[in-house]
Amino acid sequence: MKNNLKIEIVKWIDGLSQLKNIREKVFIQEQKVTPQLEWDGMDEKAIHFLVFNDKAAIGCARAIVIKDHMQLGRMAVLKEYRGQGIGGALIEKAMTIAKLNQLSAIYISAQCHAIDFYKKFGFEVTSDIYLDAEIPHRDMALDF
């Protein structure tokens, strides 16, 4: 990851405009997810990761802690910043937070095209393919 990037953990209310901007561009405009599915009412309960470069917020993810594990999702990087290690930095930050909080696992619902990306971090496929927002996904888990 480039030196000018930083990842902050924010509450929904504090990162609202940046989080909405990134997710609107990536999920609603690019991937054609309906707003009703994207804005699922879970954001207020979640912790959010925001990636900043020198100028602006360029990536995000959200984590919901359920019992002893983290459900990680809504991971998005603006198109012009992809392929620079930002997604990997988000995963590593989530892993650090999960371990600090003594959680036993991170679960994700991965878009099928991203499965190999998650495997690099030790995630394993735990389900068959299913459609979420008309996009093929598989569940994956990383146990600690």
Side-chain angles (χ1 to χ4, degrees), residues 15-80:
L16 187 68
S17 63
Q18 293 131 318
L19 292 162
K20 277 196 158 187
N21 177 52
I22 295 164
R23 286 168 49 186
E24 178 96 23
K25 285 180 179 166
V26 173
F27 296 122
I28 296 172
Q29 292 171 20
E30 251 183 78
Q31 298 185 354
K32 310 294 185 231
V33 173
T34 64
Q36 295 84 345
L37 284 174
E38 181 57 31
W39 311 120
D40 61 3
M42 299 295 285
D43 288 308
E44 291 80 3
K45 299 181 184 89
I47 60 168
H48 298 268
F49 301 90
L50 259 176
V51 183
F52 293 89
N53 65 7
D54 294 331
K55 299 181 271 311
I58 59 170
C60 66
R62 85 171 179 195
I64 300 169
V65 176
I66 304 164
K67 294 183 185 155
D68 65 343
H69 70 272
M70 175 187 287
Q71 182 70 44
L72 187 65
R74 299 303 200 270
M75 198 161 102
V77 175
L78 294 176
K79 192 182 246 174
E80 59 270 30

Side-chain angles (χ1 to χ4, degrees), residues 101-112:
N101 288 284
Q102 299 179 322
L103 301 177
S104 64
I106 298 176
Y107 298 150
I108 56 173
S109 172
Q111 292 184 8
C112 286

